[in-house]
């Protein structure tokens, strides 16, 4: 008898769901704690803390519902063979109705993906609407109007519609045309694509959502420029991003390549950090990521993972049992990828957990970098203010945060900044 791949995948997903719900329950209990963490006593008022607590408990409740609905839909999709039916019936029909060749795998794949995208938008919509217009609204956090919300959703779909088809078509052609070195060709394609995305994407896409204006001349600009040139940062392009139109989340980031590097700070960061030193400290942290080559290390790591992934894919793609188990009698490229991805769910969770550990280490290193430049105190203040501005969780469960968060928690970062000696030294 053939191995019941599909049933095994559903079983695994349910096990993961139970495990993650257990972590979530731990986190929920931490959120309900009425006591301010020791590090924040005197820094945050009890009133602010209560505001936080209420907001995050609301969000956590919504997450319980969403995870539950997701696992039901995902399991039902697999158990009732929705994917093979969608592939055979719907996608073929759609292609035929446009007058194109229904047997063409590329057209059929695109139609299939369009259906999947449409469906996931529909199932996601109630949650994102509720989150933005009920929860965020109730806690005075939402600045988005319904129109802005719809416009952003449409923009996101447009980006996917413009970028998706050529990439999908290229991947299908590569799989169809290349022989034994398939994994290498696929990796090469993704590598070139990611270089392209890293240069083009930050220049083209954020301006669709946000307005970038040059930071005006003044003390703040001079301070940032002095810091940047002391670290040999190769550019003087400084932008303010109008994040405040959307929400009060605050941040700063670097983007662009070699000589075209830019520093962008959200206007919300400028509003929240009343002291200019604090903003400079946040930039010092970002410069730390750049100086310590964190982006390069993580890109190399990701490239190796992708190569391994494609290697694994070429091993699995010819397993007939796998396809029959999921109800497919043909082996289209996209379906090969989707089924392969199901078979590596456990590995995927382990890898993303390991990646979290790496980014945790990077955050501590960037903080230590800013600390070495003498920004420990203002960085500390800025982190607290950003946390308050973002209304993020204050009390967190250590298991939950190490499993889910790419960044260390505020408390962990403050503790590291307060240590007399840097961890990184
Ligand atoms: Zn960082």
């Amino acid at each position: 008898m053939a191995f019941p791949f599909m049933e095994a995948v559903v079983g695994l997903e349910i096990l993961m769901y139970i495990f993650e719900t257990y972590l979530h329950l731990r986190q929920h209990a931490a959120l309900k704690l009425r006591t301010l963490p020791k590090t924040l006593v005197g820094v945050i008022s009890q009133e602010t803390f209560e505001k936080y607590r209420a907001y995050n408990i609301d969000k956590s409740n919504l997450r319980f519902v969403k995870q539950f609905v997701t696992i039901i839909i995902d399991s039902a999709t697999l158990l009732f063979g929705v994917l093979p039916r969608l592939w055979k019936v719907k996608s073929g029909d759609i292609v035929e109705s446009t007058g194109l060749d229904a047997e063409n795998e590329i057209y059929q794949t695109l139609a299939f993906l369009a259906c999947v995208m449409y469906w996931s938008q529909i199932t996601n919509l109630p949650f994102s609407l509720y989150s933005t217009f009920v929860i965020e609204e109730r806690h005075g956090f939402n600045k988005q109007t319904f129109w802005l919300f719809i416009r952003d959703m449409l923009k996101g779909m447009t980006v996917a519609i413009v970028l998706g088809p050529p990439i999908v078509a290229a991947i299908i052609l590569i799989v169809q045309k290349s022989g034994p070195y398939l994994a290498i060709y696929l990796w090469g394609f993704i590598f070139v694509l990611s270089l392209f995305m890293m240069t083009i994407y930050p220049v083209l896409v954020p301006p669709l959502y946000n307005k970038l204006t040059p930071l005006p001349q003044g003390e703040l600009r001079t301070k940032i420029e002095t810091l940047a040139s002391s670290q040999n940062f190769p550019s003087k392009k400084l932008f303010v991003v109008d994040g405040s139109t959307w929400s009060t989340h605050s941040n700063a980031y670097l983007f662009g390549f070699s000589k075209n590097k830019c520093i962008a700070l959200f206007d919300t960061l400028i509003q929240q950090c009343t002291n200019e030193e604090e903003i400079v400290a946040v930039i010092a942290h970002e410069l730390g990521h750049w100086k310590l080559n964190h982006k390069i290390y993580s890109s190399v790591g990701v490239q190796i993972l992708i190569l391994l992934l494609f290697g694994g894919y070429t091993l699995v793609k010819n397993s007939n049992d796998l396809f029959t188990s999921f109800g497919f009698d043909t082996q289209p490229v996209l379906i090969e990828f989707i089924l392969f991805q199901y078979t590596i769910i456990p590995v995927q969770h382990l890898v993303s957990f390991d990646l979290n550990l790496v980014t945790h280490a990077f955050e501590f290193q960037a903080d230590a970098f800013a600390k070495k430049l003498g920004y420990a105190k203002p960085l500390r203040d800025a982190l607290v203010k950003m946390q308050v501005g973002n209304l993020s969780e204050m009390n967190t469960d250590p298991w939950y945060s190490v499993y889910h968060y790419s960044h260390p928690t505020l408390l962990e970062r403050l503790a590291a900044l307060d240590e007399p000696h840097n961890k990184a030294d």
Side-chain angles (χ1 to χ4, degrees):
M1 208 190 89
F3 184 76
F5 285 103
M6 191 265 281
E7 289 77 2
V9 165
V10 174
L12 257 174
E13 288 200 320
I14 292 173
L15 280 180
M16 287 312 302
Y17 169 76
I18 294 171
F19 172 65
E20 286 176 358
T21 305
Y22 167 67
L23 289 184
H24 189 180
L25 283 167
R26 291 181 58 109
Q27 169 73 355
H28 199 76
L31 288 176
K32 285 195 149 175
L33 288 178
R34 290 190 168 272
T35 41
L36 202 65
K38 235 189 270 145
T39 343
L40 294 174
V41 175
V43 181
I44 289 176
S45 70
Q46 190 67 31
E47 199 191 335
T48 315
F49 173 68
E50 280 298 328
K51 209 178 140 193
Y52 261 97
R53 242 186 102 239
Y55 171 67
N56 283 303
I57 290 175
D58 271 2
K59 276 208 329 196
S60 171
N61 283 329
L62 179 67
R63 209 153 50 228
F64 278 117
V65 180
K66 188 177 175 180
Q67 305 293 25
F68 180 70
V69 173
T70 308
I71 186 73
I72 299 287
I73 293 182
D74 286 358
S75 314
T77 305
L78 291 180
L79 291 172
F80 295 115
V82 176
L83 294 180
R85 238 169 279 184
L86 182 66
W87 178 264
K88 254 180 285 184
V89 187
K90 269 280 155 247
S91 322
D93 285 357
I94 293 176
V95 176
E96 222 163 49
S97 69
T98 57
L100 292 164
D101 177 12
E103 295 298 303
N104 184 311
E105 189 179 331
I106 294 177
Y107 295 146
Q108 208 177 347
T109 301
L110 292 176
F112 180 84
L113 281 175
C115 293
V116 172
M117 189 169 121
Y118 180 71
W119 172 242
S120 74
Q121 287 280 357
I122 301 245
T123 47
N124 232 321
L125 196 61
F127 294 107
S128 48
L129 282 174
Y130 189 84
S131 161
T132 311
F133 294 105
V134 179
I135 297 183
E136 308 249 321
E137 192 72 48
R138 184 188 297 158
H139 297 275
F141 202 37
N142 179 39
K143 291 193 170 176
Q144 205 168 28
T145 59
F146 186 69
W147 165 235
L148 269 178
F149 179 89
I150 297 294
R151 206 180 62 180
D152 275 5
M153 201 175 78
L154 291 178
K155 279 180 186 170
M157 286 165 83
T158 313
V159 172
I161 289 168
V162 171
L163 293 178
I167 297 174
V168 171
I171 291 178
I172 293 177
L173 287 175
I174 292 171
V175 175
Q176 286 174 344
K177 304 275 182 243
S178 31
Y181 300 109
L182 174 60
I184 310 272
Y185 287 126
L186 278 174
W187 169 76
F189 173 70
I190 296 294
F191 179 67
V192 172
L193 185 70
S194 62
L195 282 185
F196 175 76
M197 292 296 263
M198 274 160 75
T199 20
I200 301 296
Y201 195 86
V203 182
L204 282 186
V205 175
L208 283 178
Y209 297 94
N210 302 98
K211 217 172 78 205
L212 280 84
T213 40
L215 180 69
Q217 294 296 336
E219 215 173 311
L220 178 61
R221 193 180 172 108
T222 318
K223 277 183 185 165
I224 296 177
E225 278 175 357
T226 315
L227 169 68
S229 56
S230 78
Q231 297 307 314
N232 302 320
F233 188 72
S235 139
K236 285 192 166 181
K237 284 181 200 141
L238 272 166
F239 293 103
V240 181
V241 184
D242 69 334
S244 58
T245 328
W246 278 265
S247 75
T248 46
H249 292 274
S250 54
N251 216 336
Y253 61 98
L254 309 179
F255 67 100
F257 255 128
S258 64
K259 293 269 178 291
N260 276 319
K261 278 234 158 258
C262 310
I263 300 176
L265 27 152
F266 279 98
D267 54 356
T268 39
L269 177 72
I270 301 178
Q271 287 152 17
Q272 280 164 14
C273 297
T274 36
N275 182 344
E276 281 178 355
E277 280 300 301
E278 293 164 8
I279 303 170
V280 183
V282 172
I283 305 289
H285 168 99
E286 294 304 325
L287 283 171
H289 282 307
W290 166 74
K291 196 86 180 174
L292 299 166
N293 294 322
H294 287 163
K295 230 183 183 162
I296 298 177
Y297 288 131
S298 47
S299 315
V300 171
V302 167
Q303 293 308 325
I304 294 173
L305 275 178
I306 293 178
L307 189 56
L308 287 175
L309 208 68
F310 285 141
Y313 158 73
T314 48
L315 291 179
V316 172
K317 78 187 276 269
N318 291 322
S319 159
N320 275 320
D321 288 354
L322 181 65
F323 287 85
T324 354
S325 164
F326 280 87
F328 285 95
D329 45 22
T330 51
Q331 299 196 0
V333 175
L334 175 73
I335 304 300
E336 286 176 353
F337 277 109
I338 293 178
L339 298 193
F340 169 64
Q341 185 236 317
Y342 279 132
T343 61
I344 55 160
I345 288 172
V347 187
Q348 216 175 17
H349 278 89
L350 272 178
V351 168
S352 80
F353 174 68
D354 288 339
L355 287 179
N356 275 355
L357 293 183
V358 174
T359 47
H360 271 72
F362 284 174
E363 286 312 308
F364 284 124
Q365 286 175 8
D367 281 350
F369 180 88
K371 184 177 174 179
K372 229 190 290 179
L373 295 177
Y375 290 102
K377 170 84 176 70
L379 183 60
R380 197 182 196 290
D381 296 343
L383 287 175
V384 172
K385 284 181 185 170
M386 285 197 280
Q387 182 92 348
V388 174
N390 292 351
L391 289 171
S392 326
E393 292 103 334
M394 286 271 102
N395 283 312
T396 45
D397 177 68
W399 290 24
Y400 182 87
S401 74
V402 87
Y403 182 80
H404 280 293
Y405 295 169
S406 62
H407 276 51
T409 62
L410 173 68
L411 295 187
E412 291 165 340
R413 292 177 72 179
L414 294 186
L417 280 173
D418 290 345
E419 267 174 33
H421 296 290
N422 284 345
K423 275 185 182 171
D425 285 348

